[in-house]
Amino acid sequence: MKSILFSGAMALSLLAGHTASAQQVKASEPESVLAYFEDLGAPAKLVEDNVGDPSVEVQYYGTSMVVFFYGCRNNTNCNSLQFFAAYTKESEISLEGLNEWNAEQRYGRAYVAEDGRKMLEYDIYTGQDGVSMTDFDEIFDIWTEVVESFEDSLS
């Protein structure tokens, strides 16, 4: 299972809306995802996940998140990304509250893992041509809104 702890959506939302210098963000080019966050001034590191696919770990003022790469062939040529955040099992939300939150969302999904941690995910497809920086800024802004909404639902 791919996982990382996430906290501090407000700091992350400060990053949204900033256009980095690269032209396209492509899941097939993990360096373009890394460059996006580096251009934002967010320390980021390109690593391999537990199945050998690339992933980008991002740190920003106490905020931790990871971007996983999917649709990969032999751990390269990926075609989609997943923004991911995990919350401690102490973060409380009822099953009814979780279902209500999911039902109200257009983007993002949340669930409780077997170990009790709350997981938040948001998938995007970039294909081989990628996503423009303007569109990726919007995608990242949507992600930060999803995170803030979910954190508001936790007690």
Side-chain angles (χ1 to χ4, degrees):
M1 169 185 277
K2 301 175 180 184
S3 66
I4 192 159
L5 289 179
F6 181 90
S7 64
M10 293 308 290
L12 193 59
S13 69
L14 296 173
L15 296 175
H18 171 78
T19 303
S21 60
Q23 295 301 311
Q24 298 288 107
V25 175
K26 300 178 181 182
S28 61
E29 296 177 12
E31 296 79 13
S32 68
V33 177
L34 178 66
Y36 175 82
F37 290 107
E38 288 177 340
D39 286 350
L40 291 174
K45 181 168 66 168
L46 181 60
V47 298
E48 286 186 3
D49 67 16
N50 59 350
V51 296
D53 292 337
S55 63
V56 175
E57 296 175 349
V58 180
Q59 299 289 321
Y60 189 76
Y61 290 102
T63 299
S64 297
M65 64 172 285
V66 66
V67 180
F68 290 114
F69 291 68
Y70 284 93
C72 308
R73 291 175 297 249
N74 297 320
N75 307 113
T76 61
N77 296 318
C78 309
N79 65 18
S80 55
L81 303 171
Q82 180 185 83
F83 292 92
F84 179 85
Y87 298 82
T88 64
K89 58 185 173 184
E90 290 77 24
S91 301
E92 293 294 329
I93 187 170
S94 67
L95 182 55
E96 180 179 287
L98 187 66
N99 286 338
E100 182 178 313
W101 185 88
N102 277 315
E104 294 173 357
Q105 299 304 306
R106 178 173 179 196
Y107 302 100
R109 66 186 164 279
Y111 59 94
V112 178
E114 288 182 23
D115 65 3
R117 292 181 301 152
K118 285 48 169 198
M119 308 299 196
L120 185 60
E121 301 172 343
Y122 171 42
D123 293 280
I124 65 163
Y125 179 80
T126 69
Q128 293 301 309
D129 294 334
V131 176
S132 72
M133 291 310 276
T134 301
D135 287 345
F136 198 79
D137 275 340
E138 290 297 321
I139 289 165
F140 189 67
D141 188 46
I142 290 168
W143 168 244
T144 61
E145 290 172 11
V146 166
V147 168
E148 289 177 33
S149 172
F150 186 68
E151 287 183 352
D152 287 347
S153 71
L154 297 173
S155 52

